[in-house]
Amino acid sequence: MERKYKTRLPNALFLTAAGSLAVLGIMEAPGPTSLMLWAGTVIFACLALTKRPPHHLRYLTLIIALLVLGLLWFDPQRHGIWIWAWPILLLFPQPPLIQLSVAVLSVVAWWRMSYVLSLEQSMILTLLLAYLLLLGLANARAFLRLRHHIDIRPRVSPRMRMWSAGRLSHDLEIELARSERDGTHGELLLLRARTPNLFKPEQLGQTLDSTTYPFESCYWLNGTVFAVILVARDSHAAQLRRDAILEQLPGDIVARVSPLDESTPPILLAQELTQQQEALRIDTEASR
Amino acid sequence: MTPQRLASTWLVTLVYATAAPLLLVYAGWHYLLGHYSQILLPSLLSLVVAGAAALRLTRHDKRHLSSYLVLISCYLLVASELPHIDNPGTLWIGLPPVLTLILLPPGPAMLLNVLLAPVWLTLPGDSLPSGDVIMHYIVLILTAVLPLWWHSTQTRLLHATDLYDSESGALSRAALSERLHAEISRAQTLHQPLSVIVIHLPQADMAREQFGNQLRNTLLKRFSQTIITHTRCGDILGRYQPSLFWLLLPNTTEANARISQERLAQEATKILFPETGPLELHARVSRLGKDESHSHFEQRLSIAGLKLMEPPS
């Protein structure tokens, strides 16, 4: 799903970058710099093959920054072009502490570089690099805001009816008001595949999307736990509907049914479900 | 709902604004060294960059223009200086492509980087560039574009999953159509009535034609807020066309929907703008027929909207 809607980069881009780095590695005389280039090749190739989006790889930026520093340190004349990689490194998704380390490493690189330049060139380099780093920082701040909005977006994917955990609390409130007003019965069904597909964690969600009615909203709570708000005329009809859904889901499913006015936040329910062993657990309003 | 995806304005303005006097200093330095032919360009460019800073600060909608101005200034400066540098190594050819990537969106930036590659590669020195230098340039632009490209895919995802219309705050048309589908299915499964009020705001069109977009957007926002505060939790307001809204009322009979319509029209008259007077609603109630299909009902609603928008004869 994620890749279908281009939520991550096409792997070909990473592979091209890795390939070009490899060519550079072949052209390089054996030595520390060629090692750095090969390490870069391996990193980009791994990024192309990994299924996880880059923002989970927190220390990646630091490793790449150290490789860039290595190239500049061992051969500033030949690899001088990499000094301009520093503003770009600030744009990688990274925690603030790593960003600070990248900034410090860029100063080290600049110091090494200014050694081999004439005074005039090194002055111009200092100014330009400082400006580019500031522009990079300005962009990094904008990207940070963007990532925040990505994290709290209500809908997980554009074409699948799959909502985020944040949206669930909002919808639960509305559904509770509606079921009280209309006299319908609503309940929250949480689901987890006992053996989730590691390469395709969204598989259960895709099945849910096609087996539920359009008004039964589906949510992706965390990596493996999904939820559906079931609405029926009464509790008996809800039970029939729940059984019908569970029957259509493939594989071994762990499920939990919880009333809409459950006081435990959905995120905690999802965590409890990851520990749950029994196939179906029902919290009725009377049992609480 | 869409966030500010732009680089922070003050930081960028600061960079541009301090770069302008520095370019003057650079021109002065050439003067002191006696390079009289190289004085003109930096002094002219300092004016251009100062203009870009002012543009960035004052005209938010013209920020791309200011980026291009700075980029072109930097291109000209690098192009004029590169031939004078002796023993350059690979250092300076990396500056233009990285600046392009930082200032422009990844697509146009990569296009410029590829098109201008021959310029940057042949300018320094007298001989043709070695394969080594060319390869360094290629690897730099291929690796540097990755984080920027990743962010642009994320931005697209955010836009594609956005539910709300940015001007009014009501549901956007695609989200509205999906919600209508869901509510129809719910009404039919639970045997409940479903009514929809189609609302046309004639003043929204007029406000834009006569007083500009800002008044229209304020009007639309006030309208959505009023509707949302005066309807039940669970009722859904969406924007079907620029001045046409649908209000979905689940489990509501046609008669009750008419009462709501009257009430909302009254509330709307309290929205007063000196330019347009009290807000006027043209509305029409439609009820979901028994066993009516999703597409048929949606079509009926859209025809009801067209009828509302016809000028009264």
Side-chain angles (χ1 to χ4, degrees):
Chain A
M1 171 197 74
E2 296 254 309
R3 268 193 296 165
K4 203 154 133 201
Y5 303 111
K6 294 194 180 170
T7 56
R8 46 194 306 268
L9 285 182
N11 290 343
L13 272 178
F14 281 104
L15 281 179
T16 320
S20 62
L21 268 171
V23 173
L24 209 56
I26 293 168
M27 291 162 76
E28 190 81 10
T33 45
S34 79
L35 267 183
M36 309 259 162
L37 290 171
W38 284 113
T41 310
V42 172
I43 289 180
F44 279 103
C46 287
L47 277 177
L49 300 177
T50 177
K51 295 278 168 185
R52 301 169 79 189
H55 67 259
H56 287 306
L57 308 169
R58 303 191 133 220
Y59 299 100
L60 184 76
T61 320
L62 199 57
I63 299 171
I64 297 181
L66 285 171
L67 289 179
V68 171
L69 181 64
L71 284 176
L72 286 168
W73 190 272
F74 289 112
D75 197 346
Q77 188 68 29
R78 186 179 153 80
H79 289 292
I81 195 170
W82 291 107
I83 193 91
W84 307 109
W86 293 105
I88 300 286
L89 278 166
L90 287 178
L91 299 180
F92 276 61
Q94 59 196 310
L97 203 62
I98 304 279
Q99 206 167 38
L100 191 70
S101 336
V102 169
V104 171
L105 289 179
S106 74
V107 174
V108 178
W110 159 80
W111 178 76
R112 175 77 180 103
M113 198 69 212
S114 61
Y115 247 63
V116 296
L117 292 179
S118 65
L119 181 68
E120 177 192 346
Q121 284 198 41
S122 114
M123 266 166 61
I124 297 174
L125 174 72
T126 312
L127 281 173
L128 284 173
L129 190 61
Y131 276 152
L132 275 176
L133 283 172
L134 276 178
L135 284 179
L137 200 64
N139 276 302
R141 284 163 55 102
F143 287 165
L144 203 67
R145 275 201 301 274
L146 169 69
R147 275 203 291 285
H148 171 69
H149 282 272
I150 281 286
D151 288 344
I152 60 165
R153 72 190 192 275
R155 200 181 176 128
V156 175
S157 133
R159 280 183 229 165
M160 203 159 87
R161 288 185 307 115
M162 190 57 66
W163 304 88
S164 67
R167 181 80 183 181
L168 177 57
S169 346
H170 168 260
D171 284 2
L172 274 178
E173 216 168 285
I174 292 180
E175 198 46 60
L176 196 62
R178 283 182 76 169
S179 61
E180 271 167 16
R181 195 171 59 215
D182 301 349
T184 49
H185 175 88
E187 59 186 34
L188 183 66
L189 175 63
L190 291 111
L191 300 157
R192 169 176 74 89
R194 209 183 280 274
T195 47
N197 186 339
L198 283 180
F199 294 103
K200 229 178 145 204
E202 72 273 17
Q203 197 182 33
L204 178 61
Q206 278 168 342
T207 327
L208 267 183
D209 184 38
S210 53
T211 51
T212 51
Y213 292 137
F215 65 89
E216 292 168 333
S217 321
C218 304
Y219 303 84
W220 194 348
L221 296 188
N222 64 30
T224 52
V225 179
F226 293 83
V228 190
I229 294 185
L230 295 181
V231 182
R233 304 195 71 176
D234 49 45
S235 57
H236 179 65
Q239 193 187 336
L240 288 178
R241 178 72 194 135
R242 178 210 309 152
D243 293 343
I245 289 178
L246 285 176
E247 202 156 286
Q248 287 180 61
L249 294 178
D252 199 358
I253 300 285
V254 179
R256 175 165 178 180
V257 181
S258 158
L260 291 184
D261 57 349
E262 171 69 56
S263 48
T264 323
I267 282 297
L268 286 183
L269 288 179
Q271 279 171 11
E272 282 176 32
L273 188 71
T274 46
Q275 310 293 326
Q276 183 183 319
Q277 287 307 314
E278 69 222 89
L280 178 64
R281 175 174 161 191
I282 302 176
D283 307 341
T284 54
E285 270 136 290
S287 74
R288 287 187 301 121
Chain B
M1 281 302 281
T2 25
Q4 284 254 309
R5 272 162 289 92
L6 319 159
S8 10
T9 307
W10 67 268
L11 206 53
V12 175
T13 316
L14 182 80
V15 170
Y16 293 178
T18 52
L22 276 175
L23 279 167
L24 274 185
V25 171
Y26 189 59
W29 186 43
H30 275 312
Y31 174 77
L32 289 177
L33 289 180
H35 303 149
Y36 295 114
S37 61
Q38 292 177 40
I39 299 174
L40 185 63
L41 188 68
S43 13
L44 282 182
L45 291 182
S46 88
L47 288 179
V48 175
V49 173
L55 202 61
R56 177 89 196 189
L57 199 61
T58 51
R59 293 291 301 274
H60 197 64
D61 47 329
K62 292 272 170 34
R63 59 186 188 281
H64 293 305
L65 184 61
S66 75
S67 298
Y68 276 104
L69 282 177
V70 169
L71 192 63
I72 290 167
S73 310
C74 192
Y75 279 176
L76 288 174
L77 204 62
V78 173
S80 74
E81 296 296 334
L82 267 183
H84 302 288
I85 293 171
D86 28 273
N87 190 19
T90 57
L91 175 63
W92 294 103
I93 53 164
L95 170 63
V98 167
L99 187 75
T100 318
L101 280 171
I102 286 189
L103 288 179
L104 301 185
M110 279 312 264
L111 188 69
L112 269 180
N113 283 345
V114 170
L115 289 180
L116 291 176
V119 179
W120 308 130
L121 291 171
T122 47
L123 269 180
D126 307 320
S127 55
L128 282 174
S130 66
D132 203 38
V133 174
I134 298 175
M135 203 56 219
H136 268 96
Y137 182 89
I138 293 174
V139 177
L140 179 73
I141 61 173
L142 282 180
T143 47
V145 77
L146 289 175
L148 295 145
W149 209 297
W150 184 71
H151 282 293
S152 87
T153 60
Q154 296 289 295
T155 313
R156 277 206 297 276
L157 169 73
L158 202 60
H159 275 289
T161 55
D162 199 7
L163 296 176
Y164 298 97
D165 171 58
S166 59
E167 287 172 351
S168 64
L171 284 187
S172 65
R173 180 169 171 159
L176 174 67
S177 175
E178 199 188 52
R179 273 311 284 274
L180 180 71
H181 193 172
E183 289 305 329
I184 290 174
S185 140
R186 180 177 177 133
Q188 284 167 347
T189 313
L190 302 177
H191 305 293
Q192 288 175 343
L194 169 69
S195 299
V196 177
I197 308 182
V198 180
I199 303 169
H200 177 227
L201 300 178
Q203 284 155 340
D205 297 328
M206 196 190 85
R208 190 180 60 174
E209 279 157 22
Q210 296 181 3
F211 305 102
N213 268 328
Q214 198 174 1
L215 178 73
R216 184 184 74 144
N217 292 356
T218 325
L219 189 146
L220 290 175
K221 280 217 168 72
R222 287 276 302 279
F223 163 75
S224 319
Q225 276 164 8
T226 308
I227 297 287
I228 289 163
T229 39
H230 289 92
T231 48
R232 301 165 304 175
C233 158
D235 293 346
I236 299 135
L237 180 72
R239 191 176 185 195
Y240 185 70
Q241 269 171 25
S243 62
L244 203 60
F245 288 81
W246 290 0
L247 177 63
L248 316 186
L249 302 173
N251 199 16
T252 306
T253 57
E254 201 168 342
N256 283 336
R258 279 188 209 291
I259 298 172
S260 305
Q261 179 196 336
E262 299 279 317
R263 207 162 40 91
L264 292 175
Q266 257 185 4
E267 289 298 334
T269 54
K270 293 180 193 159
I271 307 176
L272 254 171
F273 286 97
E275 293 92 337
T276 57
L279 187 66
E280 205 182 307
L281 301 188
H282 290 174
R284 181 186 277 254
V285 172
S286 300
R287 191 178 65 88
L288 175 68
K290 197 167 183 292
D291 298 327
E292 188 172 6
S293 75
H294 164 239
S295 51
H296 188 261
F297 189 46
E298 188 164 348
Q299 203 178 3
R300 220 151 51 82
L301 292 176
S302 105
I303 292 171
L306 286 180
K307 280 188 185 148
L308 282 175
M309 294 209 299
E310 275 170 15
S313 47

